[in-house]
């Protein structure tokens, strides 16, 4: 029972750590300049998909065979990391070209940044505008969070996949059955020296009750997301994180629509003023 309990504690710890790092990454994405709205939404979609993946991997009743084929690196964080690398390389390259190369009387054409700009969906001017606001500590903290996220995911999947086979429970059942059989054989006598009939009945009831309780606890702890001993409450926070990121996307979209409508109204008013003049 103790290894199964330690397994549940490990899964709970990993889930809490993953949720914490996921919140940190969402905060880092929110701190990016507004000119990168398309990139921010793309990164947020990766975070939403990762939260959905954790929820799917933590549903009650997931078979052991299905858990065995879950890959530790087969996640949406690969896409997040690729996009974040492009943003980091683009920012560092822009700052290097603008600060270091002029002192060495050397120039670099903007065409070298075309692949990064295409991947990020930004123009050359937007790249130059946002580069000063992308500080190194943001990228460093984000890479640390991604490293911890991958590590805790590997630990969680290892704990999920490291369970007892059915043969183990069969052996325990045979052991309990053999103890009960020996007890019945030893007490099947006409003359009982040490215990009375009532005392034997009490001991038999205690023996059956203990084995039954142990069987129920083992069955309960076999699935960490179901039963009395479960860590399902640690999964609920991923629902909150997912909905919070979706709400952020919707809020920024509504804010952008309001600004677009306000700009259109201002342009229309300016055109009418010019016509009146």
């Amino acid at each position: 029972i103790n290894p199964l309990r330690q397994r549940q504690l490990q899964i709970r710890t990993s889930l809490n750590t993953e949720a914490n790092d996921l919140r940190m990454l969402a905060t880092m994405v929110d701190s990016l300049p507004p000119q990168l709205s398309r990139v921010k939404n793309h990164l947020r979609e990766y975070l939403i998909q990762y939260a959905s993946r954790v929820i799917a991997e933590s549903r009650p009743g997931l078979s052991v065979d299905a858990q065995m084929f879950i890959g530790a690196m087969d996640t949406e964080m690969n896409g997040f990391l690729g996009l974040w690398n492009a943003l980091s390389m683009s920012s560092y390259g822009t700052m290097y070209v603008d600060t270091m190369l002029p002192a060495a009387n050397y120039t670099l054409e903007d065409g070298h940044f075309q692949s990064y700009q295409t991947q990020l969906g930004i123009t050359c001017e937007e790249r130059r505008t946002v580069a000063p606001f992308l500080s190194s500590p943001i990228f460093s903290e984000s890479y640390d969070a991604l490293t911890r996220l991958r590590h805790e995911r590997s630990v969680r999947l290892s704990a999920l996949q490291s369970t007892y086979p059915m043969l183990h429970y069969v052996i325990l059942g045979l052991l309990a059955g053999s103890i009960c059989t020996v007890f019945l054989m030893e007490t099947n006598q006409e003359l009982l020296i040490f215990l009375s009939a009532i005392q034997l009945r009490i001991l038999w009831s205690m023996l059956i009750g203990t084995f039954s309780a142990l069987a129920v606890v083992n069955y309960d702890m076999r699935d960490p997301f179901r039963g009395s001993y479960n860590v399902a409450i640690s999964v609920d926070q991923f629902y909150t994180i997912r909905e919070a990121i979706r709400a952020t996307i919707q809020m920024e979209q509504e804010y952008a629509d309001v600004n677009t409508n306000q700009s259109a109204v201002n342009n229309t008013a300016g055109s009418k003023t010019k016509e009146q003049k």
Side-chain angles (χ1 to χ4, degrees):
I1 294 177
N2 185 62
L4 292 176
R5 184 57 180 168
Q6 293 298 325
R7 171 174 174 252
Q8 287 189 338
L9 292 176
Q10 183 61 69
I11 294 173
R12 183 191 294 274
T13 302
S14 297
L15 286 172
N16 291 332
T17 305
E18 287 182 76
N20 183 50
D21 290 333
L22 206 60
R23 289 192 184 97
M24 178 179 289
L25 290 174
T27 304
M28 293 297 180
V29 172
D30 293 340
S31 64
L32 295 178
Q35 292 87 348
L36 297 174
S37 58
R38 180 181 176 183
V39 179
K40 292 167 67 175
N41 289 336
H42 201 172
L43 292 172
R44 288 176 181 138
E45 289 296 334
Y46 283 127
L47 298 180
I48 291 174
Q49 293 172 12
Y50 183 83
S52 300
R53 175 181 287 271
V54 174
I55 293 172
E57 292 172 350
S58 305
R59 67 182 185 270
L62 186 64
S63 64
V64 179
D65 294 336
Q67 294 173 356
M68 291 300 177
F69 292 98
I70 299 177
M73 285 301 296
D74 298 335
T75 68
E76 292 73 19
M77 288 297 101
N78 295 333
F80 185 98
L81 182 60
L83 199 59
W84 197 257
N85 286 338
L87 189 62
S88 176
M89 296 295 291
S90 175
S91 173
Y92 178 80
T94 301
M95 296 295 295
Y96 186 84
V97 168
D98 294 342
T99 57
M100 302 296 294
L101 293 187
N105 295 325
Y106 184 77
T107 59
L108 187 67
E109 297 181 357
D110 291 334
H112 292 82
F113 294 92
Q114 187 60 42
S115 59
Y116 298 120
Q117 293 172 185
T118 302
Q119 186 176 359
L120 297 173
I122 59 177
T123 62
C124 180
E125 294 298 326
E126 291 175 338
R127 173 177 58 80
R128 292 180 178 276
T129 301
V130 302
F133 301 97
L134 301 176
S135 61
S136 299
I138 290 180
F139 291 108
S140 178
E141 290 293 334
S142 300
Y143 283 124
D144 291 341
L146 286 170
T147 301
R148 290 193 301 270
L149 198 66
R150 292 197 300 268
H151 175 264
E152 292 300 331
R153 172 176 169 78
S154 299
V155 173
R156 175 171 56 86
L157 292 182
S158 297
L160 284 173
Q161 295 169 356
S162 300
T163 184
Y164 290 119
M166 187 56 63
L167 179 61
H168 175 81
Y169 298 100
V170 172
I171 294 175
L172 291 179
L174 292 175
L175 178 61
S178 63
I179 294 175
C180 292
T181 303
V182 171
F183 180 87
L184 293 175
M185 292 175 62
E186 290 294 330
T187 57
N188 187 21
Q189 300 177 10
E190 295 182 358
L191 180 61
L192 299 175
I193 301 176
F194 299 102
L195 297 173
S196 64
I198 296 178
Q199 291 174 330
L200 287 177
R201 290 188 180 95
I202 294 174
L203 289 178
W204 174 254
S205 299
M206 292 174 60
L207 189 64
I208 295 300
T210 301
F211 286 152
S212 299
L214 290 175
V216 170
V217 171
N218 275 278
Y219 178 78
D220 194 334
M221 299 186 68
R222 191 167 184 266
D223 189 344
F225 305 104
R226 183 174 58 187
S228 300
Y229 301 92
N230 67 81
V231 296
I233 192 172
S234 299
V235 185
D236 295 341
Q237 55 191 329
F238 287 92
Y239 290 95
T240 304
I241 295 173
R242 185 174 62 179
E243 295 304 320
I245 297 175
R246 287 174 176 172
T248 302
I249 296 176
Q250 184 178 0
M251 182 180 62
E252 289 193 359
Q253 183 62 41
E254 292 176 354
Y255 181 76
D257 294 340
V258 170
N259 289 338
T260 302
N261 295 333
Q262 187 64 36
S263 300
V265 171
N266 293 337
N267 293 334
T268 304
S271 301
K272 290 182 179 180
T273 302
K274 290 182 181 179
E275 292 177 358
Q276 291 176 358
K277 290 182 178 180

